[in-house]
Every structure is written in C-alpha cells, then in structure tokens.
Amino acid sequence: MEHDNSHSRRQLLKTLGVAAASALLPAKEVFGQSAAPGAIDVHQHYQAPFAGGESSRWSVPKVLELMDKNGIATVIISGGSYGDQVYTGTESGRTMARKLNDYAAKIVSDNPKRFGFFAVIPYPDADGSLKEIEYAYDTLKADGVGILSSIGDKWPGDPAFLPAFQELNRRNAVAFIHPYVPKCCRDLIPFGEASVERDFDTTRAVTNLLYSGTLAQLPEIRYIINHSGADVPVMAGRIKDRVPGASSYGAKPQTEGITPKTPKGVFYELRKLYYECAHAAYPAAMAALTSFAPPSQYLFGTDYPAEDPASTLNELKGVKLAPDVLHALCRENAERLFPRLKADSSKS
C-alpha cells in the first residue's frame, strides 16, 4: 500500500510538473536541470518550543526534506492553535504574538525562497493589533496575517476588531483563516472538536464576515479559507437565502431588522474568497468547491505537521482536475497573491 501511495504522489507531481512546464517554462525540461517550479503550500504550521510546540515532530530540516520529497517549492507557515495565548487582550498576548512573529520571520530570512509566513496578530487588543500589523509588515516583511476562526468569544467581523481590519484593508493584506474551536463547543460531542467543530467554526467565521458587511465594506483584504472552504460551498445557498431580501424563493429571512450589507450579492462575496485544499481534497469536498468557486480561487495546502501531505496529494490525484486547473491550484493562484514567489523572480 505504501508503494501505491508513493506512486500516486509521483504521478500527481508529474502532472503538476508538466502543467507548470508548459505554462511557465515551455522550452525546458520539466525537472532536473529545468528547475521547473513546484507547488506553493499556503497551509503549514511551525512549532515554536516556547509556545508549547512539539519540536521533536517539527524542524526546518524535516520540512525541507518533506518539501523536496513531495515537489513543494515554498510553504507559507503560520502559527497553530495559539488563541488562548495570544487572544488575551493583555500585554501577555502582545508579547506572545511578537515572539511568534520573530520566530517565523527568522525561518523565512534564512530560507527566503522556501518559506513565507502569516503574522500572528493579537486582535482583542486594538492598539496592540495595529502596532503588530505595522511591525509584521514594515519590519518583518510578512506575507500576510493569520486569523483564527474564533477570537475569544467573538468571530471575525465583530465591530471590536474593526480598526485592525481597516488597517489590513489599507495594506491589501492576505489573511489566512484557520479553524479554532471556541470554548463553547469543545466538548459538545465525543471527538467533535477534532472531526467537525473546526469546519463548523470556519463557516461561522466566514458567515460573520459576510453578514457584518466586512467582506463588502473592506474589499481589499484577500481571505484564504482553510480545508476547501469547510462547509461554506455546501451551505452558500442557504446562507444567501437568509440575507434580508436575498432569497429567490420567497422565504422569509430569519434576520428581521438587519440591514443588507452585501450590495453585490452573497455569492459575489463568497466566490471572491480563496480556498485551500489541505486535508479536504476528497471527492465530495472538491465537488462542492469546484461547483461553487472558480478555478482562480483554489490554493494548495497540506496542514503539515497536523496531517501527512499524502492525505491531500493522494486524494487530489483522484479528483482528476484539468492540468491548467491543477496548475492554478498548486502554484499560479498563489503567485498572484504572493508576487515575490513568482518563478521568474530574482534568485535569493
């Protein structure tokens, strides 16, 4: 079985390489001397020892080895489940965010073409958030910011976070939304936190950004939604029909008194989001995503070290995307978000 898995990964990477070569390097060989570009993984996590990271499971050399084995050119790393340490609204949250960002930035500075990073921002601390955004972008040259799906007892789009989101909008930020189960829902059902609650909370976060008007009113933020959009592609129609005046079927929205904040429409706002496929390249998940959002919005991710990259690569092969769509997912769309990673950028 292991041999079959390895063969499947090689076949997928061969397909990716052919697509990349034909699109970007038509006069060169696909691999070897051609240095054809590999995938850009937007969903990997670093494990900082001072934040409880399991250093025995993660190290830069291990990640580089894994990247080379799986044809991944660059990873954009982010913190893991740091919410209880950073989202405190106190000085301790500021301090932990700064330590995490300095740690990630050092990895990137040592390996600028192999790594990028999403900065940790202490959103419940309004002043601290603005200072950390400035530091992350202007000093550390972050590629974007991370946002956990739950911020304390609130969700992204809450008015409490408006100053930070306004600044992110001004900077045309890329914001990676990662699931984080709030305290309310961690023990609702056995194993629920690990199996379903993360996707449910991602969907809550996106819905709150939509209903609050944040997506429409701050349109320059480019959001990446984890795990093929969690439940968003499947639920998009029902979400749309609960916006006042949006239903096409005469249903009475259960949102009396709420002013519509999606002047261009719900689907417009949800289809402009980016969706990465880490551990969610299964046929049903990809069928929902590809029938809802255009290929320009797909991204590649692995969720390593939480998941083995094979859990994405093997399933992605079975979806049998067209070569140009596969290339867009694995590299081209990420190059648009992160221009410094374009294959023809100057060598570091």
Side-chain angles (χ1 to χ4, degrees):
M1 181 63 67
E2 175 58 30
H3 173 76
D4 291 342
N5 288 344
S6 298
H7 177 72
S8 297
R9 289 197 293 272
R10 286 196 300 271
Q11 288 297 108
L12 171 62
L13 296 170
K14 181 178 179 181
T15 301
L16 169 60
V18 170
S22 61
L24 294 176
L25 302 169
K28 297 182 179 181
E29 297 179 9
V30 175
F31 289 110
Q33 297 94 342
S34 70
I40 297 174
D41 182 346
V42 303
H43 187 170
Q44 279 206 30
H45 300 295
Y46 58 89
Q47 295 188 326
F50 58 82
E54 300 179 48
S55 57
S56 64
R57 293 182 55 206
W58 186 93
S59 69
V60 170
K62 287 180 180 179
V63 173
L64 290 170
E65 180 181 0
L66 176 141
M67 291 166 64
D68 292 339
K69 175 184 176 182
N70 290 285
I72 298 170
T74 307
V75 299
I76 313 294
I77 53 176
S78 56
S81 298
Y82 52 76
D84 292 340
Q85 296 171 293
V86 173
Y87 291 166
T88 65
T90 66
E91 188 64 33
S92 67
R94 288 191 190 191
T95 299
M96 180 57 74
R98 178 62 55 91
K99 290 179 67 176
L100 288 167
N101 290 334
D102 284 340
Y103 182 84
K106 179 63 166 59
I107 295 172
V108 176
S109 68
D110 290 343
N111 307 271
K113 280 306 203 180
R114 305 306 305 272
F115 289 93
F117 86 102
F118 293 120
V120 172
I121 307 299
Y123 295 102
D125 176 355
D127 186 56
S129 293
L130 294 176
K131 290 179 178 178
E132 198 59 30
I133 291 170
E134 179 181 22
Y135 178 74
Y137 276 99
D138 298 343
T139 300
L140 300 182
K141 309 304 180 184
D143 293 284
V145 300
I147 304 173
L148 295 185
S149 59
S150 299
I151 303 176
D153 59 351
K154 298 179 174 64
W155 283 267
D158 191 279
F161 314 128
L162 183 58
F165 278 68
Q166 288 174 327
E167 177 61 12
L168 294 175
N169 187 71
R170 187 184 74 82
R171 290 179 178 267
N172 301 315
V174 176
F176 174 56
I177 295 184
H178 189 271
Y180 187 69
V181 181
K183 293 179 180 178
C184 68
C185 305
R186 293 177 184 176
D187 299 309
L188 288 179
I189 60 173
F191 307 109
E193 181 177 356
S195 60
V196 296
E197 287 298 338
R198 291 190 177 99
D199 283 346
F200 292 164
D201 205 61
T202 294
T203 306
R204 293 183 191 106
V206 173
T207 305
N208 199 49
L209 285 167
L210 177 75
Y211 284 176
S212 68
T214 304
L215 293 182
Q217 294 166 14
L218 301 175
E220 303 307 322
I221 302 174
R222 281 124 354 125
Y223 296 94
I224 299 173
I225 312 304
N226 61 83
H227 304 313
S228 294
D231 302 320
V232 173
V234 173
M235 296 291 295
R238 289 179 56 79
I239 292 170
K240 172 184 68 68
D241 284 350
R242 293 302 179 261
V243 172
S247 177
S248 303
Y249 300 100
K252 184 177 181 181
Q254 298 171 356
T255 49
E256 292 295 335
I258 298 178
T259 303
K261 297 179 180 179
T262 54
K264 293 185 178 181
V266 170
F267 282 180
Y268 171 85
E269 298 299 339
L270 296 181
R271 284 174 172 151
K272 75 180 184 182
L273 304 176
Y274 288 84
Y275 298 92
E276 63 84 16
C277 66
H279 198 219
Y282 296 100
M286 291 300 293
L289 175 59
T290 57
S291 66
F292 177 69
S296 61
Q297 306 310 110
Y298 309 159
L299 295 168
F300 176 72
T302 62
D303 202 2
Y304 181 80
E307 303 293 340
D308 186 327
S311 68
T312 299
L313 287 168
N314 288 346
E315 296 297 331
L316 192 57
K317 174 184 178 294
V319 176
K320 297 182 180 178
L321 297 174
D324 60 330
V325 175
L326 180 64
H327 175 53
L329 181 152
C330 286
R331 184 166 187 97
E332 188 177 65
N333 296 336
E335 286 184 327
R336 190 168 65 251
L337 284 176
F338 310 106
R340 75 175 184 87
L341 299 179
K342 286 185 178 180
D344 59 353
S345 295
S346 59
K347 302 295 183 181
S348 58

